[in-house]
Amino acid sequence: MFSVDVRRTAQACVFALRGELDYDSAVQLQEAADLVLTGHDQPGLVVADCTALAFCDSSGIGGLIRIYQKLSAHGGLLRLRPRARWRGSSR
């Protein structure tokens, strides 16, 4: 199960990612990004908060790259807030 909650702060737009971001759920991330990144009030900074993300495959990475590309085309930035440890990491 995957969810993305979007909230705006004074400094950034935060995408709180939860669950498993994979081929089946990447469309949810893209839909949320499309809502935020289209229109006149585009944020200069998007933070992808991955602290509650349990899994991310190449489709999820691709979705994050598309967000980065859209932001950077207009001078914006994407920052990742990572998990302390990823499943399968040795540290």
Side-chain angles (χ1 to χ4, degrees):
M1 175 76 97
F2 175 76
S3 69
V4 56
D5 295 314
V6 179
R7 64 182 168 84
R8 288 185 181 257
T9 69
Q11 297 83 19
C13 183
V14 179
F15 286 43
L17 310 178
R18 289 179 179 76
E20 297 187 358
L21 179 54
D22 57 18
Y23 178 81
D24 294 324
S25 60
V27 68
Q28 289 176 258
L29 176 61
Q30 194 60 51
E31 289 171 350
D34 288 345
L35 289 173
V36 171
L37 301 178
T38 55
H40 303 300
D41 192 22
Q42 293 184 10
L45 174 63
V46 169
V47 176
D49 182 349
C50 301
T51 56
L53 195 62
F55 175 82
C56 184
D57 72 3
S58 60
S59 298
I61 298 292
L64 291 168
I65 289 171
R66 282 187 291 283
I67 292 170
Y68 165 77
Q69 290 170 332
K70 286 182 181 182
L71 283 165
S72 64
H74 301 285
L77 299 171
L78 173 67
R79 295 288 182 248
L80 301 179
R81 183 175 300 143
R83 288 176 48 101
R85 277 183 75 173
W86 287 98
R87 181 173 43 188
S89 68
S90 61
R91 295 198 245 173

